[in-house]
């Protein structure tokens, strides 16, 4: 555990764990409303923020937060009003955001594409004190929203129309989800990078689903997977000279494959347990219709 | 005791640029069970969704419990069962988790107390799904899923139930459970607006039927008795020129 003696590793691990918590915590709502790729879109838009940060000599993290929140709000508005041309509008927003990032960073006196690369793929070892402060504050916001409003966000993501009839402020909650997703993207930007952010939002949730039957369990398992792979990836990248962002994402996909392989026999066992353990439940085998059996010895 | 719970006057609605409701009057009084009937596409769902504010209305007035709908906030008094869609959420959820959403309107900031959890359990008992409380909704049959959606509507102890085709695609056993649940609710004083394709096992419960055709009210009165050939005498005079569907009422009630 000698890596804990280094300040940069302490910062890297803290940032990584916070990403491991927040990304799946937001991602589960995106997956539930079938907007799994929204994080990817926000990641593209955030590039303009990074570029603007360099150009104006502001903190790229805060600037990316600002721009991606604006982008996420715009995406929600397009979803409301866009209707048929909505996907075209979204495409323009995504690629405009990416092109804007490349343009601004090249116009900036101190910026270069090398700087941009560290935001695109993450650069854990260069996370600074002020980055950590920003990440902690933003992560606290994300946890507060995703846990504190879990029942409301669940209801809205599950059935928007019904949620409205329960009197929930559906539009405000949708906006809040989008904003929280945007904040998460910038939290994760330094760790896994803008291009890989979405993987940490979506894949742990997909992996957790292989084991769970409830939303609450999916949430807990997904966060557990998120924390495990971010720590695992960070430590691996310390001992082996591999990029942490890519390592984390590959570990996540590995977890998904492992849990999928595990899930099939588990489901079979569960089905067997239900068939034998619960007489009230439906029998696992079809019984012969009673009308054909006169003595009544039907089924098992 | 003829306090209107739902009141629509001259309601028009367009979806896209197509008129779907063309001036509908509909009143449901306290304690009444009203069936909304009509062929597919006649505007039943749109009418119901206009009541709960899901469809923008271009003309007319809608009141809920005597309050103009735009100012109505007391949503815990309304239980809504949407026309069932096959699309489920992208993440597994248990029966209890789904039904709990229906209780949110009775909580403050979504914090569940003991009474709220008890209400959710009770709603599940009403529809005979208490033993499946911890199961994933993906593991349920169509009829069981529908019972869960009704439990969700009942979880807030509503005074008014609005159900869009609760019997569609529901197996016989579940139909009987639903009929019994509804009977109990009505006995306890609930007001009900039901969209139905056919009266079926709910027939004895229904006080009044409103039949829609092409976005207009064709009949408002006692439920058509024997669902026979001349179920609704006199309807020809109401709408003599709507020729595009030769026997819309019969298709609505029989198919
Ligand atoms: N979102 C929509 N956009 C355009 N037309 C719609 C929409 N929803 C329903 N319609 C049309 O409105 C008419 C009435 O629909 P609906 O109220 O669902 O009928 P019902 O419930 O009686 O079957 C139908 O012709 C349908 O095609
Ligand atoms: Mg309908």
């Amino acid at each position: 555990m000698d890596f804990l003696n280094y300040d940069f590793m302490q910062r890297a691990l803290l940032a990584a764990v916070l990403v491991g918590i927040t990304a799946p915590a937001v991602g589960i709502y995106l997956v539930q409303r079938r907007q799994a790729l929204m994080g990817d879109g926000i990641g593209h838009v955030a590039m303009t923020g990074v570029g603007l940060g360099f150009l104006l000599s502001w903190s790229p993290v805060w600037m990316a937060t600002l721009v991606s929140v604006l982008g996420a709000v715009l995406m929600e508005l397009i979803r409301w009003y866009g209707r048929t041309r909505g996907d075209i509008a979204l495409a323009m927003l995504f690629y405009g955001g990416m092109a804007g990032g490349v343009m601004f960073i090249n116009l900036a006196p101190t910026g270069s594409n090398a700087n941009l690369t560290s935001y695109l793929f993450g650069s854990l070892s260069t996370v600074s004190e002020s980055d950590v402060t920003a990440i902690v504050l933003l992560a606290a916001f994300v946890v507060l929203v995703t846990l504190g409003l879990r029942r409301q966000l669940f209801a809205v993501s599950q059935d928007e129309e019904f949620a409205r009839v329960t009197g929930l402020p559906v539009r405000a909650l949708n906006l809040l989800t989008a904003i929280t997703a945007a904040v998460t993207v910038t939290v994760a930007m330094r760790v896994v990078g803008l291009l890989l952010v979405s993987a940490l939002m979506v894949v742990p949730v997909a992996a957790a689903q292989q084991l769970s039957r409830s939303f609450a369990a999916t949430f807990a398992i997904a966060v557990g997977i998120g924390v495990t792979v971010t720590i695992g990836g960070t430590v691996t990248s310390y001992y082996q000279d591999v990029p942490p962002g890519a390592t984390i994402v590959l570990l996540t996909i590995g977890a998904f494959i492992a849990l999928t392989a595990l899930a099939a026999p588990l489901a079979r066992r569960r089905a067997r347990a239900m068939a034998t353990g619960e007489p009230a439940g439906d029998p696992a085998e079809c019984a012969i219709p009673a009308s054909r059996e006169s003595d009544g010895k039907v089924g098992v | 005791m003829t306090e209107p719970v739902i009141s629509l006057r001259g309601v028009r609605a367009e979806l896209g640029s197509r008129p779907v409701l063309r001036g509908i009057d509909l009143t449901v009084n306290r304690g009444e069970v009203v069936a909304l009937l009509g062929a597919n596409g006649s505007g039943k769902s749109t009418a119901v969704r206009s009541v709960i504010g899901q469809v923008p209305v271009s003309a007319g007035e809608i009141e809920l419990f005597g309050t103009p709908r735009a100012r109505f906030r007391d949503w815990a008094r309304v239980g809504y069962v949407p026309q069932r869609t096959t699309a489920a959420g992208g993440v597994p959820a248990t029966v209890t988790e789904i039904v709990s959403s229906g209780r949110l309107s009775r909580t403050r900031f979504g914090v569940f107390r003991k009474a709220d959890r008890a209400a959710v359990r009770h709603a599940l008992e009403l529809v005979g799904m208490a033993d499946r409380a911890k199961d994933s909704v993906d593991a349920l049959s169509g009829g069981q899923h529908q019972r869960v959606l009704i439990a969700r509507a009942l979880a807030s102890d509503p005074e008014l139930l609005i159900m869009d085709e609760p019997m569609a695609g529901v197996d016989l056993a579940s139909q009987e459970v639903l009929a019994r649940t509804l009977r109990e609710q009505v006995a306890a004083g609930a007001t009900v607006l039901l969209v139905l394709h056919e009266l079926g096992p709910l027939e004895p419960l229904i006080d009044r039927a409103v039949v829609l055709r092409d976005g207009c009210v064709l009949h408002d009165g006692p439920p058509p008795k024997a669902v026979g050939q001349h179920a609704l005498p006199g309807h020809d005079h109401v709408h003599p020129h709507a020729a595009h569907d030769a026997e819309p009422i019969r298709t609505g009630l029989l198919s």
Side-chain angles (χ1 to χ4, degrees), chain B residues 230-245:
Chain B
H230 345 273
L232 298 165
H235 74 257
D236 295 337
H237 309 295
V238 182
H239 218 82
H241 302 300
H244 94 261
D245 194 349

Side-chain angles (χ1 to χ4, degrees), chain A residues 116-197:
Chain A
L116 195 55
T117 305
S118 82
Y119 288 90
L120 286 182
F121 300 105
S123 174
L124 252 185
S125 55
T126 63
V127 170
S128 65
E129 281 293 338
S130 66
D131 285 340
V132 168
T133 310
I135 288 173
V136 168
L137 287 175
L138 293 170
F141 167 77
V142 173
V143 169
L144 221 67
V145 169
T146 54
L147 275 182
L149 295 176
R150 65 188 180 284
R151 287 188 188 276
Q152 289 90 336
L153 295 178
F154 170 83
V156 169
S157 307
Q158 183 72 26
D159 187 340
E160 208 172 289
E161 178 163 310
F162 182 82
R164 247 185 235 121
V165 182
T166 59
L168 285 175
V170 170
R171 287 195 164 187
L173 287 168
N174 281 340
L175 270 182
L176 189 64
T177 308
I179 290 169
T180 312
V183 169
T184 307
V185 164
T186 47
V187 169
M189 175 172 76
R190 302 290 291 161
V191 178
V192 287
L194 290 172
L195 292 184
L196 294 174
V197 163

Side-chain angles (χ1 to χ4, degrees), chain A residues 35-158:
Chain A
Q35 296 177 344
L37 291 179
M38 185 166 175
D40 200 45
I42 298 173
H44 284 62
V45 176
M47 286 173 65
T48 291
V50 173
L52 272 178
F54 276 98
L55 187 62
L56 304 174
S57 307
W58 278 26
S59 150
V61 174
W62 287 112
M63 205 61 200
T65 308
L66 185 71
V67 171
S68 55
V69 164
L70 287 177
V73 170
L74 204 59
M75 279 159 72
E76 251 327 284
L77 293 178
I78 290 172
R79 206 163 71 85
W80 290 345
Y81 301 112
R83 295 185 190 280
T84 46
R85 307 311 299 267
D87 54 338
I88 307 285
L90 287 180
M92 289 204 279
L93 187 64
F94 294 180
Y95 303 119
M98 196 144 107
V102 175
M103 182 60 78
F104 288 138
I105 207 153
N106 278 287
L107 291 177
T110 58
S112 69
N113 280 339
N115 295 114
L116 195 55
T117 305
S118 82
Y119 288 90
L120 286 182
F121 300 105
S123 174
L124 252 185
S125 55
T126 63
V127 170
S128 65
E129 281 293 338
S130 66
D131 285 340
V132 168
T133 310
I135 288 173
V136 168
L137 287 175
L138 293 170
F141 167 77
V142 173
V143 169
L144 221 67
V145 169
T146 54
L147 275 182
L149 295 176
R150 65 188 180 284
R151 287 188 188 276
Q152 289 90 336
L153 295 178
F154 170 83
V156 169
S157 307
Q158 183 72 26

Side-chain angles (χ1 to χ4, degrees), chain B residues 15-16 18 20 38-47 83 164-165 195:
Chain B
L15 289 172
R18 198 170 152 271
V20 176
N40 274 332
S42 57
K44 304 181 299 293
S45 294
T46 308
Q83 186 160 12
D164 197 344
E165 306 217 15
V195 174

Side-chain angles (χ1 to χ4, degrees), chain A residues 28 31-32 34 148 151-152 154-155 158-159 161-162 164-168 205 209 212-216 218 274, chain B residues 49 52 54 75 78 80 82 88-94 97-98 100-102 104-105 109-110 112 117 135-136 152:
Chain A
I28 191 167
V31 172
Q32 195 189 9
R34 301 189 183 281
R151 287 188 188 276
Q152 289 90 336
F154 170 83
Q158 183 72 26
D159 187 340
E161 178 163 310
F162 182 82
R164 247 185 235 121
V165 182
T166 59
L168 285 175
V205 177
Q209 285 186 28
S212 62
R213 281 178 296 177
S214 72
F215 187 83
T218 309
M274 272 187 60
Chain B
R49 294 176 75 237
I52 53 166
Q54 295 298 295
W75 289 108
V78 182
Y80 174 57
V91 175
T94 64
E97 285 174 329
I98 298 284
S100 296
S101 291
L104 273 177
S105 53
F109 306 119
F112 270 52
R117 272 183 264 276
D135 286 358
S136 165
R152 181 177 70 170

